[in-house]
């Protein structure tokens, strides 16, 4: 018998959720890119801390979309115009979008 996605999430492990897996993978890639990036910038520590928090939030199960979006906004603001990290940031944004569309407003 097939179960809907919502039923599976309510009864199964969040680790089975492909959205969580994708988000955690994207966060891990951006964390590695950030660690390897040679240039220092003023808000680097904020980006590192918020990436760690985002990963912990996703790993904890039942990620809250507003919290994911807040983290994404803080990371984007902290990374700023570091173009070398743009692709990784885009991957994190795409992974957050898997949890639901960005609110319009």
């Amino acid at each position: 018998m097939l179960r809907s996605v919502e039923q599976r999430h309510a009864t199964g492990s969040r680790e089975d959720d492909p959205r969580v897996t994708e988000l955690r993978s994207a966060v891990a890639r951006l964390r590695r890119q950030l660690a390897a990036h040679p240039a220092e910038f003023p808000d680097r520590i904020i980006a590192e801390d918020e990436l760690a928090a985002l990963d912990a939030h996703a790993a904890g199960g039942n990620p809250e979309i507003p919290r994911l979006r807040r983290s994404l906004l803080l990371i984007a603001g902290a990374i700023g115009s570091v173009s070398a990290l743009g692709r990784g940031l885009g991957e994190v944004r795409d992974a957050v979008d898997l949890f639901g569309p960005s609110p319009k407003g």
Side-chain angles (χ1 to χ4, degrees):
M1 175 186 213
L2 294 175
R3 290 191 265 169
S4 74
V5 172
E6 292 78 19
Q7 287 175 328
R8 184 182 51 149
H9 297 316
T11 61
S13 168
R14 293 301 292 183
E15 293 177 14
D16 294 337
D17 187 341
R19 300 173 304 169
V20 170
T21 302
E22 181 59 31
L23 178 58
R24 294 193 72 206
S25 295
V27 167
R29 284 189 299 271
L30 184 54
R31 288 176 85 179
R32 285 190 302 271
Q33 293 169 4
L34 183 58
H37 190 67
E40 288 298 321
F41 48 93
D43 293 330
R44 182 184 193 116
I45 194 79
I46 293 170
E48 292 169 346
D49 288 349
E50 200 57 36
L51 282 165
L54 183 57
D55 184 57
H57 186 65
N62 199 22
E64 300 169 10
I65 295 171
R67 174 68 173 102
L68 297 177
R69 296 219 172 271
R70 178 185 173 275
S71 290
L72 179 61
L73 181 61
L74 289 170
I75 294 163
I79 289 175
S81 62
V82 181
S83 61
L85 302 174
R87 182 175 180 180
L89 180 60
E91 290 173 358
V92 172
R93 184 194 67 235
D94 291 344
V96 168
D97 285 346
L98 293 173
F99 289 88
S102 178
K104 306 294 183 213

